[in-house]
C-alpha cells in the first residue's frame, strides 16, 4: 500500500496479518524478512506479527474460573511456566484472510480476517478477529493506524478472553546494526512490578531507571535494558472499556535518532504498553532461494512497543474485566412480539447506546474487585458498565398511543403556534394531566424525554416542585440513564432560582424564622443530594451520572449558572438543545451573578465533595485525573474547594488538592513534581493541571513554576497541549518573572506562529500590558514572523489568503462547526493586539489599510476576520487618523456588507468607528436610505436599519443629526419638556393651594387679550 509520497509505503502479509515494510523517507523502520517464507521458519521473535488470542504473558498458562472451569494453555515462555503471545501457534503464526483493500474512515486501507476456533491453543470459544491498517499523510508525517475488532461468534461457551497488539521491532537508524544512540521519550513512568516468573505482582510503581514522563533518555550499548509493561491508566481494572476506540489517542512513546533525523511516535487508546529493548533478540543469518543473504539480527537490533491491556489480565480474575469477551445475546423469536423492552434494548445496542443495557456488580464480583462488562465484542462499540448497588429498576414503557400523543405535544410546544397565552396555558394543563403518573416513563423515553425537559422549562414554581417530588427517590437511577439524566439536570438548574426566591420571601414574611415546610425547593434539592452521597465513587466515571453530579454541585455552591467557565463544565456536546419558544426572558436568578444559597447547601456541598474524594488514595485520584469522564468532575471539585474555603483548603489533608499534592510544595524530585510532568502533555489530565495552576496558593505556585515551567518555557509553548497550561502559569507571574519569560519566548515567536500556538502569544500581549512591560520586542518578533509587507502580515495572521469568494460559505461553516480553531485563535490574538496602543496596534491597522478592496471585503465577511475589523473601529484610544482613512473605504462597501449576515456587523461597528466624524455618519446614512428596500427585505439589513436609527433619520432628521454629532447629552425631546412643565404646574398647585388658584384667575382676566394672542402664536 503506497501513499502519495513515493518514499512512504507499507507492505503487509497474510501470515499473522503482519507488517513487513514501514517506510519513512525511503527507510524501512521495522525489522523484517524480504522473503515471506522466512516468517514461517525464522520468526521466533514475532517480527511484525499480530499477537492474539491474548497478548504478553498468562501466568502459569492457566485460566481459572472462566465459564465456571479452568483452561490449560500452551507453555512457551522459555524458562518460565507461562503462556506467551497466545501460545505455540498464536495468531501471529496463522494465515489471515486478506489483505482486502478497503476505504476505512475516508482513508486507504486493507483488512485482514481470522476465525479462531474453540480450543485453539487451549482458549475457549470461537472468535472472529478483524484487523484494519489505514495509511495517510499529515503534512510531512507518514501515519499508519491499526484497528482491531474481536467478537465471540461461537456457541461453545458464554465467555472467553482476548487481547490484540502488534509486535513490530522499530529501528530508526537502519545504517547501524543496533539501536544504540536511539532517543526515547515515554508518556509515563508507571509500570507493573514483576515477580520471579516475569508476571505482575499487582503493584504499580515508578520505573527506577528512566526519567520523568516527557523527558528523554538515550539507549546505550547495553543499558538501560527494559522488558516491562508501562501503565497509562492505573484505574484500568475498574474503568477500562472493552472497546477503547472511541477514547482519545494518548502519547505512549517517541523514538528518534540524531544521525538519521527519523522520528517515530506511537499513540494508542489502550491503558498500557510493553516496552522491550530487544536484549534477547537472536535471528541467525540466512539465505533466500535466489541467493540473497539476510543478515543476522542480534541483541538490541530493534525496539518493540506493544500497546495492550495489563500483562496477565486474562489470568488475574481481578483484572479480567479488561479482556473478558462475552457472547452477544438476543431474545428468542417467540418472545419478540411482546418483548418491546428487549427490542428497544437490541436497537440501542446496535446504535452504540452505551447506557441502554447497564449491568451491575454482583456480590461475588464486588468481593473480587471485578468489573462486569456489557455483552459486546472486543473492539466493537460498547461500554464498561459502572458498578453500583443493585439493579437499575425498569419504569415501564409508554404505549404507542401515549408516545404519539406526547411526541405531537412536544412538536406543538416547540412550534409555539398558539393564538394567545391563555390557549397555550390550557394546552400545558392538558399535558400535565395526561402525564400524571407517567413522568418517569416519559423521562426514560428516547422519543419523549425532550417533552419532559420542555415541561420543566415552562413550569411554574409549584408545578416544578410537583415534578421534583415525582422524581425524588429515583435520582440515583435516573442519573445513570442516557435520556432521564438530562431531565434531572434541567430540573436541578430550574430549581436553583426558586430557592433564592423562597428564601427572600420567607425573610420578608417572617424575619429570623428558620422553620420551613417540607415542600420547598431547598428541601427537595437537599434530598436529591442525599440520594447520591453514598454512591459518588462509582458515579464519577459514569458517562451520564457524572454530568448530573456536576450540575448538582454547581447548584449547591451558588456559583453562577451561565458564566463561561461554568457552562464549559455543564454543557454536554451530545445533548440536544431544548428551547422554549415563548419565553421572552430567562427565569429570575438564572444569570451570571453569584447566587445566595442557604447554609444547608454549603453543608451538603461539603459532604458531597468529601464523598467524592473519600476512599480514594493519591494514586487512584491521579489516575482519574486522566480519565475522560472523571476529569471534569475533579476540575469542578478542585475549583469549588478554593471558592468555598480559600487557600486554607490546601492545608486540609482530606481535600482533593492535598491528596493530589501530598508533598506540597512540589519540589523537583518529589512525586508531586513527577505527577505534574506526567499530565502536562496529556490532553485530558492537563485540564486539571490548569485548575491547579490557577488556584494553588502563592507559595505552591512559585515552587511549581520554578520546578516545572521556568526552564522549559520554549518547549512547553510549542506543545499543543502543554501550551494551555503554560498560559495559566504566565497569567500569574509577577513583573520580573514575566519579563524573563518574554525574553526567553521572543526568539521562539517564529516557531509558535508556524505551529499556530497563538494562545501563548496572546497571553504575553495581555500580561505585558497589565504589568506595564515594553511591548516593542514582542511587536518586532511578531512583525518578523508574519512577513515583510503590512498586508502580507495581516493575511498570514488571519489566513485570509485561504479565503476565496466562491468558498466563503464553506469557510464560514468550518468556523461555525469549530473545525477551524486555528483561525479563531489567530483572530483573538489580533483583537488583543488592537487593545494595546503602540506598535502592536499599528502592525494590524497598517495591514488593514494596505488591503485591496477585494481583500477588505473578504475580511469583513470572514467569520474570524470580521471581528478584527470591528475591533479596529471600536478599540478606542488614539485611532482617529486610522478611522478617517478606513471609514471612506468601508462606506464604498456598504451595499455589499449590509445584507450579509457576517459583514453587516461591520456596518454596525461603523457607527462607533465614526465617533467624532459626523460627516462620515451622514454618508453611511445616505447610502442606507438609498437602498432601504433591499435592507428591509433581509434580516441583517433590518438589524442595521434599526441599529443606525434610520426611522429617526427619515422622520426627525434634526434629532438624528444631534445624536450623530454626539450632542444628545442634556438635550430633551419635546414630549420630555411638556412632561416637565406639567409636573411643575402640579407641584405649584400643591404648594400654593387656593391662593395660587385665585391669583391665576385674576391674572387671566386682566391679561386675557395678551393670553389669546400668545395662544394664537403658539
Amino acid at each position: 500500500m503506497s501513499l502519495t509520497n513515493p518514499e512512504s509505503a507499507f507492505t503487509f502479509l497474510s501470515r499473522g496479518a503482519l507488517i513487513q515494510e514501514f517506510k519513512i523517507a525511503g527507510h524501512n523502520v521495522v525489522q523484517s524478512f524480504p522473503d515471506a517464507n522466512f516468517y514461517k521458519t525464522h520468526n521466533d521473535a514475532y517480527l511484525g506479527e499480530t499477537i492474539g488470542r491474548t497478548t504478553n504473558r498468562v501466568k502459569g498458562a492457566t485460566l481459572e474460573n472462566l465459564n465456571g472451569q479452568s483452561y490449560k494453555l500452551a507453555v512457551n515462555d522459555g524458562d518460565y511456566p507461562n503462556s506467551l503471545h497466545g501460545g505455540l501457534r498464536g495468531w501471529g503464526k496463522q494465515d489471515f484472510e486478506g489483505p482486502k483493500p478497503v476505504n476505512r474512515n475516508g482513508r486507504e486501507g486493507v483488512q485482514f480476517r481470522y476465525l479462531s476456533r474453540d480450543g485453539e491453543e487451549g482458549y475457549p470459544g470461537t472468535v472472529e478477529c478483524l484487523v484494519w491498517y489505514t495509511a495517510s499523510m499529515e503534512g510531512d508525517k507518514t501515519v499508519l493506524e491499526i484497528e482491531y475488532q474481536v467478537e465471540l461468534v461461537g456457541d461453545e461457551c458464554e465467555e472467553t478472553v482476548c487481547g490484540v497488539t502488534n509486535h513490530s521491532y522499530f529501528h530508526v537508524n537502519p545504517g547501524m546494526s543496533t539501536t544504540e544512540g536511539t532517543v526515547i521519550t515515554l508518556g509515563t513512568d508507571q509500570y507493573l512490578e514483576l515477580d520471579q516468573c516475569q508476571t505482575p505482582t499487582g503493584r504499580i510503581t515508578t520505573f527506577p531507571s528512566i526519567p520523568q514522563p516527557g523527558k528523554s533518555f538515550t539507549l546505550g550499548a547495553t543499558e538501560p535494558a527494559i522488558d516491562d509493561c508501562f501503565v497509562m491508566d492505573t484505574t484500568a481494572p475498574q474503568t477500562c472499556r472493552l472497546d477503547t476506540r472511541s477514547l482519545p489517542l494518548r502519547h505512549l512513546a517517541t523514538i528518534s535518532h540524531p544521525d538519521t533525523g527519523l522520528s517515530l511516535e506511537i499513540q494508542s487508546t489502550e491503558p498500557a504498553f510493553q516496552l522491550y529493548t530487544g536484549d534477547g533478540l537472536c535471528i541467525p543469518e540466512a539465505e533466500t532461494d535466489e541467493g540473497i543473504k539476510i543478515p543476522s539480527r542480534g541483541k538490541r537490533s530493534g525496539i518493540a512497543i506493544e500497546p495492550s491491556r495489563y500483562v496477565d489480565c486474562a489470568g488475574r480474575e481481578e483484572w479480567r474485566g479488561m479482556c473478558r469477551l462475552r457472547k452477544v445475546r438476543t431474545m428468542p423469536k417467540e418472545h419478540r412480539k411482546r418483548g418491546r423492552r428487549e427490542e428497544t434494548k437490541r436497537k440501542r445496542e446496535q446504535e452504540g447506546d452505551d447506557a441502554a443495557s447497564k449491568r451491575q456488580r454482583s456480590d461475588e464480583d464486588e468481593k473480587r474487585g471485578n468489573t462486569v462488562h456489557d455483552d459486546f465484542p472486543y473492539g466493537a462499540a460498547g461500554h464498561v458498565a459502572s458498578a453500583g448497588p443493585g439493579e437499575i429498576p425498569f419504569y415501564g414503557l409508554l404505549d404507542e398511543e401515549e408516545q404519539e400523543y406526547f411526541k405531537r405535544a412536544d412538536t406543538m410546544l416547540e412550534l409555539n403556534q398558539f393564538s394567545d397565552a391563555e390557549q397555550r396555558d390550557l394546552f400545558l394543563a392538558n399535558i400535565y394531566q395526561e402525564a400524571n403518573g407517567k413522568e418517569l416513563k416519559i423521562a426514560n423515553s428516547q422519543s419523549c424525554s425532550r417533552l419532559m425537559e420542555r415541561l420543566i422549562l415552562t413550569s411554574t414554581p409549584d408545578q416544578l416542585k410537583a415534578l421534583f417530588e415525582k422524581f425524588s427517590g429515583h435520582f440515583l437511577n435516573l442519573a445513570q440513564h442516557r435520556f432521564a439524566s438530562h431531565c434531572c439536570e434541567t430540573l436541578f438548574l430550574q430549581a436553583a432560582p426558586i430557592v433564592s426566591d423562597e428564601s427572600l420571601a420567607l425573610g420578608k414574611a417572617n424575619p429570623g424564622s428558620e422553620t420551613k415546610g417540607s415542600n420547598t425547593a431547598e428541601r427537595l434539592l437537599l434530598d436529591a443530594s442525599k440520594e447520591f452521597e453514598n454512591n459518588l465513587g462509582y458515579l464519577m466515571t459514569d458517562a451520564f451520572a457524572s454530568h448530573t453530579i456536576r450540575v448538582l454541585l454547581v447548584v449547591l455552591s451558588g456559583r453562577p449558572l451561565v458564566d463561561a467557565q461554568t457552562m464549559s463544565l455543564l454543557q454536554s456536546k451530545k445533548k440536544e438543545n431544548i428551547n422554549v419558544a415563548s419565553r421572552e426572558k430567562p427565569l429570575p436568578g438564572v444569570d451570571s451573578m453569584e447566587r445566595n444559597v442557604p447554609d444547608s447547601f454549603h453543608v451538603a456541598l461539603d459532604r458531597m465533595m468529601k464523598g467524592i474524594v473519600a476512599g480514594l488514595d493519591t494514586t487512584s485520584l491521579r489516575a482519574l485525573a486522566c480519565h475522560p469522564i472523571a476529569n471534569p468532575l475533579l476540575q469542578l471539585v478542585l475549583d469549588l474547594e478554593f471558592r468555598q474555603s480559600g487557600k486554607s483548603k490546601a492545608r486540609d489533608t482530606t481535600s482533593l488538592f492535598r491528596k493530589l499534592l501530598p508533598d506540597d510544595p512540589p519540589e523537583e524530585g518529589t512525586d508531586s513534581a513527577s505527577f505534574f510532568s506526567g499530565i502536562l502533555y496529556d490532553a485530558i489530565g492537563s485540564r486539571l493541571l490548569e485548575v491547579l495552576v490557577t488556584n494553588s496558593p502563592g507559595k505552591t505556585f512559585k515552587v511549581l513554576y520554578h520546578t516545572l515551567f521556568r526552564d522549559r518555557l520554549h518547549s512547553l509553548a510549542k506543545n499543543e497541549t502543554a501550551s494551555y497550561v503554560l498560559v495559566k502559569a504566565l497569567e500569574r507571574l509577577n513583573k520580573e518573572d514575566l519579563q524573563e519569560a518574554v525574553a526567553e519566548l521572543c526568539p521562539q515567536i517564529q516557531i509558535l506562529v508556524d505551529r499556530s500556538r497563538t494562545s501563548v502569544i496572546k497571553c504575553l500581549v495581555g500580561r505585558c500590558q497589565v504589568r506595564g512591560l515594553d511591548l516593542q520586542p514582542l511587536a518586532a518578533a511578531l512583525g518578523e514572523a508574519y512577513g515583510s509587507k503590512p498586508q502580507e502580515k495581516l493575511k498570514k495572521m488571519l489566513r485570509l489568503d485561504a479565503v476565496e469568494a466562491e468558498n466563503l460559505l464553506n469557510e464560514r461553516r468550518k468556523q461555525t462547526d469549530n473545525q477551524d480553531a486555528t483561525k479563531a485563535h489567530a483572530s483573538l490574538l489580533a483583537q488583543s493586539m488592537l487593545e494595546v496602543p503602540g506598535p502592536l496596534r499599528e502592525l494590524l491597522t497598517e495591514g488593514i489599510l494596505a488591503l485591496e478592496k477585494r481583500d477588505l471585503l473578504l475580511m469583513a465577511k470572514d467569520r474570524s476576520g470580521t471581528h478584527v475589523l470591528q475591533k479596529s473601529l471600536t478599540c478606542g484610544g488614539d485611532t482617529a487618523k486610522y478611522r478617517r482613512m478606513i471609514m471612506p473605504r468601508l462606506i464604498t462597501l456598504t451595499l455589499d456588507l449590509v445584507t450579509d449576515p457576517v459583514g453587516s456587523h461591520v456596518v454596525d461597528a461603523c457607527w462607533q468607528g465614526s465617533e467624532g466624524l459626523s460627516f462620515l455618519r451622514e454618508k453611511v446614512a445616505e447610502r442606507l436610505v438609498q437602498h432601504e428596500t433591499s435592507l428591509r427585505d433581509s434580516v441583517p439589513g433590518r438589524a442595521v436599519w434599526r441599529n443606525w436609527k434610520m426611522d429617526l433619520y427619515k422622520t426627525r432628521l434634526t434629532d438624528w443629526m444631534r445624536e450623530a454629532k454626539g450632542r444628545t447629552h442634556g438635550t430633551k425631546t419635546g414630549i420630555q419638556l411638556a412632561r416637565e412643565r406639567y409636573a411643575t404646574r402640579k407641584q405649584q398647585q400643591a404648594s400654593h393651594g387656593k391662593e395660587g388658584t385665585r391669583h391665576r384667575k385674576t391674572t387671566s382676566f386682566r391679561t386675557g387679550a395678551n393670553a389669546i394672542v400668545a395662544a394664537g402664536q403658539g
Side-chain angles (χ1 to χ4, degrees), residues 248-425:
L249 289 169
R250 287 184 284 203
H251 170 261
L252 305 187
T254 301
I255 60 175
S256 61
H257 202 287
D259 292 348
T260 61
L262 295 177
S263 177
L264 191 70
E265 181 179 7
I266 294 89
Q267 299 178 339
S268 178
T269 59
E270 294 288 70
F273 66 95
Q274 184 81 8
L275 173 61
Y276 177 40
T277 51
D279 295 86
L281 271 176
C282 182
I283 302 174
E285 182 179 333
E287 185 175 335
T288 67
D289 295 337
E290 292 78 16
I292 302 174
K293 289 190 176 181
I294 301 174
S296 63
R297 262 64 65 89
K299 75 183 289 191
R300 297 175 83 85
S301 58
I303 304 166
I305 299 174
E306 311 158 42
S308 63
R309 311 295 160 96
Y310 287 10
V311 175
D312 196 28
C313 64
R316 280 179 172 264
E317 291 188 53
E318 67 271 22
W319 288 356
R320 190 173 290 164
M322 287 190 281
C323 65
R324 179 190 279 112
L325 183 63
R326 283 194 170 94
K327 185 179 177 183
V328 180
R329 300 182 182 90
T330 57
M331 290 293 293
K333 290 183 179 179
E334 61 269 26
H335 285 234
R336 285 190 177 181
K337 249 180 205 181
R338 53 191 180 90
R340 293 179 57 217
R341 179 185 176 190
E342 289 298 321
E343 187 66 35
T344 303
K345 180 178 176 181
R346 283 194 299 275
K347 181 179 177 182
R348 289 179 181 172
E349 286 176 347
Q350 291 170 1
E351 295 172 350
D353 182 353
D354 50 4
S357 58
K358 292 190 174 184
R359 297 176 53 187
Q360 310 299 327
R361 287 185 180 181
S362 64
D363 294 337
E364 184 180 354
D365 289 325
E366 190 75 35
K367 292 175 185 176
R368 294 200 308 259
N370 247 5
T371 298
V372 181
H373 293 260
D374 284 346
D375 300 336
F376 285 106
Y378 175 98
H383 181 69
V384 177
S386 301
E391 283 290 330
I392 294 179
F394 176 59
Y395 294 106
L397 291 171
L398 298 168
D399 61 37
E400 292 184 6
E401 185 177 344
E402 289 171 335
Q403 282 195 38
E404 186 63 31
Y405 171 80
F406 289 125
K407 285 166 66 177
R408 189 167 59 251
D410 182 54
T411 303
M412 292 181 68
L413 284 176
E414 184 177 15
L415 295 175
N416 193 39
Q417 295 176 344
F418 300 96
S419 58
D420 52 35
E422 184 179 355
Q423 185 186 11
R424 190 174 193 278
D425 292 340

Side-chain angles (χ1 to χ4, degrees), residues 986-1000:
K986 296 293 286 185
Q987 187 176 9
Q988 288 174 351
Q989 288 176 0
S991 61
H992 295 295
K994 294 181 179 179
E995 183 180 353
T997 304
R998 286 197 300 270
H999 176 71
R1000 285 195 299 275

Side-chain angles (χ1 to χ4, degrees), residues 636-817:
L636 179 60
V637 171
L638 195 60
D639 185 68
L640 290 176
E641 280 187 353
F642 288 107
R643 280 175 178 258
Q644 299 296 115
S645 307
K647 306 300 181 184
S648 62
K649 198 68 175 178
R651 297 188 292 272
D652 185 357
T653 55
T654 63
S655 68
L656 175 59
F657 177 83
R658 178 55 64 189
K659 283 196 171 187
L660 287 171
L661 281 79
D663 44 5
D664 182 43
E667 309 242 348
E668 190 168 1
T670 62
D671 283 343
S672 294
S674 299
F675 165 64
F676 275 135
S677 296
I679 66 173
L680 187 57
Y681 296 96
D682 187 271
I684 297 171
S686 61
R687 295 178 182 273
L688 183 66
L689 188 51
E690 290 181 44
V691 181
L692 281 166
V693 169
T694 302
N695 294 289
S696 59
K699 181 181 178 182
T700 302
F701 172 74
K702 189 173 182 179
V703 174
L704 185 62
Y705 176 74
H706 287 273
T707 301
L708 191 64
F709 295 97
R710 188 176 184 180
D711 297 331
R712 305 161 62 186
L713 290 176
H714 63 283
S715 61
L716 296 175
K718 290 184 286 188
N719 185 269
E720 183 178 7
T721 300
S723 60
Y724 290 102
V725 186
L726 177 61
V727 166
K728 298 297 182 183
L730 293 174
E731 289 174 351
R732 292 194 62 178
L733 294 184
N734 57 37
K735 186 173 182 178
E736 291 74 21
D737 286 336
L738 181 62
Q739 194 164 13
E740 181 181 323
V742 172
E744 183 169 344
L745 289 174
C746 271
Q748 306 295 325
I749 293 293
Q750 180 68 63
I751 299 176
L752 297 181
V753 167
D754 293 341
R755 297 190 180 186
S756 301
R757 304 290 179 259
T758 50
S759 57
V760 177
I761 306 173
K762 175 179 175 291
C763 178
L764 291 177
V765 171
R767 299 311 298 169
C768 286
Q769 183 187 17
V770 171
R771 296 297 187 189
L773 296 182
D774 182 16
L775 289 163
Q776 186 60 47
L778 200 55
L782 282 169
E784 185 177 346
Y786 280 115
S788 56
K789 297 180 180 180
Q791 67 269 31
E792 289 179 357
K793 294 176 183 178
L794 182 69
K795 292 171 73 173
K796 182 178 179 181
M797 177 183 291
L798 302 179
R799 294 175 60 188
L800 295 177
D801 50 354
V803 180
E804 297 292 342
E806 52 271 15
N807 65 352
L808 188 61
L809 289 177
N810 290 333
E811 285 288 325
R812 287 180 179 177
R813 193 175 297 111
K814 285 181 181 179
Q815 294 167 50
T816 303
D817 296 340

Side-chain angles (χ1 to χ4, degrees), residues 941-979:
R942 289 194 293 272
V944 172
W945 186 270
R946 182 173 58 253
N947 294 335
W948 271 78
K949 305 177 183 179
M950 294 306 297
D951 287 329
L952 181 65
Y953 177 88
K954 291 187 66 178
T955 56
R956 297 198 305 276
L957 180 59
T958 303
D959 291 341
W960 188 91
M961 290 295 296
R962 191 180 294 115
E963 289 197 30
K965 293 178 180 179
R967 297 176 183 173
T968 57
H969 182 69
T971 302
K972 299 176 182 177
T973 64
I975 190 66
Q976 289 175 322
L977 292 172
R979 286 172 178 167

